[in-house]
């Protein structure tokens, strides 16, 4: 997909159950229109449900032939992914 159709959003510092619904709606709206990049550099805490929501968004992107990019993961984000053993699941989406 062309970058002109790429929307970028930033994951909040605390991505837990309280923000998952709003984030999901925003991500799905973006993915219905084109590719999506989610900037992760500010993430200080991320819940398991938020991580699985990102993986679900990746599947939605794939189904629409769009791209999901997860960029600039913070150390906290990377640590959460590693702790849960999800590195392989996230590898296709990570950009830097």
């Amino acid at each position: 997909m062309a970058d002109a159709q790429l929307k970028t959003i930033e994951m909040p510092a605390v991505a837990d159950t309280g923000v998952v619904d709003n984030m999901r709606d925003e991500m799905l709206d973006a993915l219905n229109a084109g590719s999506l990049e989610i900037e992760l550099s500010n993430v200080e805490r991320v819940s398991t449900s938020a991580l699985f929501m990102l993986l679900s968004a990746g599947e939605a992107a794939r189904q629409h032939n769009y791209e999901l990019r997860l960029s600039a993961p913070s150390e906290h984000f990377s640590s959460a992914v590693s702790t849960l053993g999800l590195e392989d699941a996230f590898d296709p989406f990570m950009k830097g």
Side-chain angles (χ1 to χ4, degrees):
M1 280 294 126
D3 281 348
Q5 297 177 359
L6 179 70
K7 179 176 179 176
T8 301
I9 61 176
E10 186 175 305
M11 185 171 249
V14 178
D16 59 13
T17 307
V19 299
V20 167
D21 286 340
N22 290 338
M23 284 190 61
R24 184 191 68 236
D25 293 343
E26 184 178 8
M27 287 190 303
L28 289 176
D29 286 346
L31 288 170
N32 283 325
S35 296
L36 173 62
E37 180 169 350
I38 302 174
E39 218 281 335
L40 304 168
S41 64
N42 292 327
V43 174
E44 295 174 9
R45 188 173 73 222
V46 60
S47 69
T48 302
S49 60
L51 292 175
F52 281 103
M53 176 197 55
L54 290 173
L55 293 175
S56 178
E59 177 60 18
R62 187 192 64 75
Q63 289 177 358
H64 286 91
N65 293 318
Y66 295 136
E67 180 181 13
L68 173 67
R69 299 178 189 172
L70 302 176
S71 65
S74 70
E75 186 176 319
H76 299 287
F77 182 89
S78 296
S79 178
V81 168
S82 177
T83 296
L84 293 170
L86 296 173
E87 297 96 338
D88 290 344
F90 275 93
D91 275 348
F93 309 114
M94 299 308 280
K95 307 294 178 198

